[in-house]
Amino acid sequence: MSSGESTSTADARAANRARFELELEFVQSLANPFYLHSLAQQNILEQPAFINYLEYLQYWREKEYARFLHYPHALHHLELLQHPQFRAAMKKDQYFREYLEQKQYEHWRTW
């Protein structure tokens, strides 16, 4: 293998690792109801490109990826974000965000 090929391979691995870490961090941020509410208030949850991105991120539900998550609620919220009703509720209702936070707290408290 030439040095050009090894550099190319190293660059590709570095890019893949950076993408993995970025997506991991983003998926984990979805565990935060306040962050979800913020995204909704900024109309980000209504953007077709963002909705497609959320659909793409479903691969994190697979065991080989999910094992890297520290906040399993992120997967539950990722699933909920697939539904337009949930996205709309996050935008219009601050009490829904508080309800979601309370449910999350109760789950963690009794884990």
Side-chain angles (χ1 to χ4, degrees):
M1 177 159 42
S2 71
S3 66
E5 289 177 19
S6 64
T7 302
S8 175
T9 302
D11 290 345
R13 285 186 180 186
N16 286 339
R17 182 175 179 91
R19 181 177 179 173
F20 174 83
E21 290 173 354
L22 182 68
E23 290 177 356
L24 172 62
E25 184 176 344
F26 177 74
V27 169
Q28 291 192 117
S29 72
L30 298 178
N32 183 338
F34 290 91
Y35 181 62
L36 297 179
H37 185 71
S38 175
L39 291 175
Q41 292 299 304
Q42 297 174 56
N43 294 322
I44 293 172
L45 297 182
E46 296 175 3
Q47 297 175 4
F50 189 76
I51 294 168
N52 289 339
Y53 184 60
L54 291 172
E55 185 177 335
Y56 158 76
L57 292 173
Q58 288 292 315
Y59 76 87
W60 283 97
R61 300 178 66 78
E62 297 174 19
K63 185 168 55 170
E64 68 235 32
Y65 294 100
R67 68 188 177 106
F68 292 102
L69 293 169
H70 291 264
Y71 307 107
H73 265 98
L75 294 178
H76 179 64
H77 292 169
L78 179 60
E79 175 60 33
L80 291 173
L81 286 166
Q82 304 301 311
H83 305 285
Q85 303 90 336
F86 179 80
R87 295 192 305 267
M90 284 305 297
K91 180 178 181 177
K92 70 177 184 177
D93 194 353
Q94 173 180 326
Y95 300 108
F96 185 70
R97 181 205 67 212
E98 292 170 3
Y99 169 78
L100 194 60
E101 177 193 22
Q102 185 62 37
K103 293 304 250 183
Q104 188 177 47
Y105 171 77
E106 290 298 323
H107 176 78
W108 286 342
R109 187 176 66 82
T110 60
W111 184 264

